[in-house]
Amino acid sequence: DGGITQSPKYLFRKEGQNVTLSCEQNLNHDAMYWYRQDPGQGLRLIYYSQIVNDFQKGDIAEGYSVSREKKESFPLTVTSAQKNPTAFYLCASSLASWAEAFFGQGTRLTVV
Amino acid sequence: AQSVTQLDSQVPVFEEAPVELRCNYSSSVSVYLFWYVQYPNQGLQLLLKYLSGSTLVKGINGFEAEFNKSQTSFHLRKPSVHISDTAEYFCAVNTGNQFYFGTGTSLTVIP
């Protein structure tokens, strides 16, 4: 089935460690996005990519990094510079930048 | 920058009663409008979308929404809710190159 796969669903890390969240899609979508979700704050855009080997910062990019080496993959690294990394992370993709976004099931990251 | 306002953070409603979830946005330029639903610990699922054409759009699970350009609103409605509609609902606006999401409305259906 076509869709977006995020892994793992739950992730625990110690403070000061970098961690990479996986996002893969087989929808042949050009655009991919990473959002962070905190209670009562909705979704905030971290990074987005509209084409392979190109990506742009969103509203809260500090402490995060991404790569887009393949069309189907858009991994997010949460670095030790991110001051409050515990959150629910959502990956999405869309056929074009104006089209509906399809979401993965999310990764809940807890840093202890 | 675009802003999306969901006027009610929580909406309790009795089963089989009608419901309206309100959404207003700030842009006066052409936009694309969406409503998504999120169940606990899951991703977002598209309920419906407005890209162009008729201002009344119908979506899945009996939901519909009306685009009002003059009031820059896109309210979501359902004539009769079910227990299974209990979830978080997000309004989203796309200006052509980026999505902007509201902070969500938590709908609780009371038996």
Side-chain angles (χ1 to χ4, degrees):
Chain A
D1 284 7
I4 301 178
T5 301
Q6 289 186 245
S7 61
K9 191 168 177 62
Y10 299 95
L11 190 55
F12 295 87
R13 279 294 182 270
K14 291 184 178 180
E15 194 172 337
Q17 291 182 334
N18 291 355
V19 60
T20 298
L21 281 58
S22 170
C23 178
E24 303 277 332
Q25 55 100 356
N26 60 3
L27 299 168
N28 200 33
H29 285 172
D30 284 316
M32 296 188 75
Y33 313 84
W34 273 106
Y35 293 93
R36 172 180 171 139
Q37 187 176 22
D38 296 283
Q41 295 196 45
L43 278 69
R44 292 183 290 169
L45 183 64
I46 305 172
Y47 269 97
Y48 65 101
S49 168
Q50 296 185 357
I51 197 168
V52 175
N53 292 322
D54 187 45
F55 48 83
Q56 287 78 41
K57 293 182 179 180
D59 301 318
I60 56 165
E62 185 175 350
Y64 299 97
S65 66
V66 294
S67 63
R68 187 86 187 275
E69 297 177 359
K70 298 185 296 183
K71 187 175 186 177
E72 58 270 24
S73 179
F74 192 41
L76 173 75
T77 297
V78 184
T79 75
S80 56
Q82 168 51 233
K83 297 187 189 314
N84 186 18
T86 294
F88 190 52
Y89 290 88
L90 286 163
C91 179
S93 71
S94 63
L95 189 61
S97 60
W98 55 265
E100 67 196 71
F102 292 80
F103 284 81
Q105 292 299 294
T107 293
R108 186 166 297 281
L109 173 64
T110 302
V111 176
V112 296
Chain B
Q2 179 69 231
S3 69
V4 181
T5 302
Q6 292 186 241
L7 297 157
D8 306 295
S9 60
Q10 297 185 24
V11 174
V13 61
F14 285 104
E15 192 173 13
E16 297 184 6
V19 69
E20 178 181 79
L21 306 184
R22 297 179 291 170
C23 174
N24 286 88
Y25 60 95
S26 62
S27 177
S28 60
V29 300
S30 294
V31 295
Y32 307 105
L33 300 162
F34 306 83
W35 274 100
Y36 286 87
V37 61
Q38 184 181 35
Y39 299 101
N41 292 312
Q42 293 189 24
L44 278 65
Q45 178 185 358
L46 182 71
L47 274 178
L48 47 79
K49 61 185 176 184
Y50 171 80
L51 302 180
S52 64
S54 173
T55 57
L56 182 65
V57 293
K58 295 187 183 298
I60 63 171
N61 301 339
F63 284 93
E64 63 180 33
E66 185 155 20
F67 168 54
N68 188 319
K69 187 175 182 179
S70 62
Q71 297 187 5
T72 59
S73 68
F74 191 54
H75 301 333
L76 180 71
R77 302 185 183 102
K78 186 170 182 177
S80 175
V81 295
H82 302 292
I83 295 292
S84 59
D85 292 323
T86 294
E88 190 86 13
Y89 291 80
F90 291 94
C91 180
V93 172
N94 188 308
T95 54
N97 60 3
Q98 187 175 337
F99 279 91
Y100 298 87
F101 286 85
T103 52
T105 296
S106 178
L107 174 65
T108 301
V109 180
I110 305 164

